[in-house]
């Protein structure tokens, strides 16, 4: 009977993960549709050839937190469902923590780089937007998501490998 309880909790975690991931993606999409406001570190208007900060805003951070909570719940539910991998649970934790730390380091490094951009040889279109995405940013986000999934699956493996109360008593 306890295994039925674990499968029900895994199904609830899968559903919760889907909700958090969808809400996080919707918040990130909504944030990407908003008008971009450049911030240079002061309230002085930007001048040509100035340094511009492209770090995450509060809405982007909220979207990523919600999506990562969903990925974490997905990892725990996967750990509950995959019994045959419980002997490798420590490796999942180590690999997940290393990937997440590497992803965070890549994102911090990328957000601290000076960005220069401009139009060459023609005037920009009135409806055109410029959104730079570097490879470090993409790889950092992928590492953070994969690391969160692997590290959180450790919790599911650990919960799954705990002995039942009836086996201890009898």
């Amino acid at each position: 009977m306890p295994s039925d309880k674990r499968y029900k909790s895994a199904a609830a975690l899968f559903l919760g993960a889907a909700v958090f991931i969808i809400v996080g993606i919707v918040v990130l999409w909504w944030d990407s549709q908003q008008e971009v406001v450049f911030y240079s570190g002061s309230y002085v208007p930007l001048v040509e050839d100035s340094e511009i900060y492209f770090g995450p805003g509060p809405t982007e951070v909220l979207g990523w937190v919600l999506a990562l909570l969903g990925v974490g719940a997905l990892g725990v539910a996967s750990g509950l469902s995959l019994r045959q991998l419980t002997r490798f649970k420590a490796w999942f934790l180590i690999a997940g923590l290393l990937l997440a730390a590497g992803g965070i380091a890549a994102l911090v490094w990328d957000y601290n780089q000076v960005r220069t951009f401009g139009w060459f040889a023609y005037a920009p279109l009135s409806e055109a937007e410029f959104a730079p995405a570097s490879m470090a940013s993409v790889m950092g986000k992928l590492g953070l998501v994969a690391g969160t999934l692997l590290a959180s699956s450790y919790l599911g493996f650990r919960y799954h490998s705990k002995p039942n109360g009836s086996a201890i008593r009898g």
Side-chain angles (χ1 to χ4, degrees), residues 27-107:
V27 169
L28 287 170
W29 173 82
W30 178 82
D31 183 54
S32 71
Q33 300 300 313
Q34 301 305 310
E35 185 176 326
V36 176
V37 178
F38 291 121
Y39 174 68
S40 66
S42 68
Y43 295 104
V44 179
L46 293 174
V47 295
E48 190 173 334
D49 296 329
S50 64
E51 296 177 2
I52 298 175
Y53 175 68
F54 278 103
T59 311
E60 184 180 354
V61 170
L62 175 67
W64 273 103
V65 166
L66 290 172
L68 285 175
L69 281 173
V71 169
L74 182 66
V76 172
S78 299
L80 283 173
S81 301
L82 300 172
R83 235 180 274 183
Q84 62 271 23
L85 294 175
T86 55
R87 65 187 135 169
F88 301 111
K89 65 184 176 184
W91 290 106
F92 274 81
L93 179 64
I94 291 168
L97 291 176
L98 287 175
L99 274 172
I104 290 171
L107 287 173

Side-chain angles (χ1 to χ4, degrees), residues 88-103 142-154 157:
F88 301 111
K89 65 184 176 184
W91 290 106
F92 274 81
L93 179 64
I94 291 168
L97 291 176
L98 287 175
L99 274 172
L142 286 175
L144 186 59
V145 168
T148 302
L149 182 68
L150 287 175
S152 63
S153 65
Y154 169 80
F157 290 143

Side-chain angles (χ1 to χ4, degrees), residues 11-32:
L13 280 172
F14 277 123
L15 181 62
V19 169
F20 271 109
I21 290 172
I22 289 171
V23 169
I25 289 172
V26 167
V27 169
L28 287 170
W29 173 82
W30 178 82
D31 183 54
S32 71

